[in-house]
Amino acid sequence: IVAYCGDLGYGPAQGAIMLSLMLGFGIVSRLVSGAICDRIGGLRTLLLGGVLQCVALLLFLPFDGLVPLYVISALFGLFQGGIVPSYAIIVREHFPAAEAGARTGTILMFTLFGMALGGWMSGKVFDLTGSYHAAFLNGIAWNLLNLSIAFFLLRGHLAKRRRAAAA
């Protein structure tokens, strides 16, 4: 976001403010998402956060004004902050407690790898296309992949619960 603001002519200081908004609202999101997880479960919270994150990424495409970018940055932070913590809840809901540490560590390792790869990949997409829109579309595509996996897992979980209730 800092480089994006620089390329739009707003300068890196405005980008740093937007990044700070994202991070600050990400903290709020983690707290709110915890309460949401308690009510609807980890997979549904992941789906909710993922859909809202995708909406925020889509909003970056048509807007390039300073005020809209501040608002979208805050929304993005608010929507994405609870996604990663929901992974630990999902592990705990679907695996025995004795396996939770190893599985959570593995998931978080791949999550961090994915975030690092995503940042690099978006930069590479920008370098190849000269377009931040293409970089945002890349992020949206990966977000949709994550959503499809979460939806697949939720569908299987719900089918398993229905079979158990029928038995």
Side-chain angles (χ1 to χ4, degrees), residues 72-159:
I72 296 165
S73 294
L75 288 174
F76 183 83
L78 187 62
F79 297 156
Q80 66 82 30
I83 291 175
V84 173
S86 71
Y87 294 147
I89 303 300
I90 293 166
V91 167
R92 185 59 194 107
E93 289 173 344
H94 298 279
F95 295 100
E99 299 176 17
R103 290 184 185 267
T104 301
T106 301
I107 288 170
L108 291 179
M109 177 187 67
F110 282 106
T111 299
L112 293 172
F113 175 76
M115 284 189 255
L117 180 64
W120 173 84
M121 190 181 299
S122 292
K124 190 67 171 173
V125 167
F126 174 78
D127 290 344
L128 293 172
T129 65
S131 168
Y132 281 101
H133 283 164
F136 284 121
L137 290 172
N138 179 58
I140 291 166
W142 285 101
N143 192 0
L144 292 173
L145 175 63
N146 190 42
L147 283 171
S148 65
I149 292 168
F151 180 74
F152 173 78
L153 292 172
L154 180 63
R155 201 177 91 209
H157 175 68
L158 294 175

Side-chain angles (χ1 to χ4, degrees), residues 14-25:
Q14 299 301 322
I17 292 169
M18 288 179 206
L19 183 59
S20 296
L21 277 171
M22 283 183 189
L23 296 172
F25 277 89

Side-chain angles (χ1 to χ4, degrees), residues 59-84:
L59 288 173
F60 277 109
L61 296 174
F63 297 104
D64 62 3
L66 195 57
V67 172
L69 288 175
Y70 281 134
V71 172
I72 296 165
S73 294
L75 288 174
F76 183 83
L78 187 62
F79 297 156
Q80 66 82 30
I83 291 175
V84 173

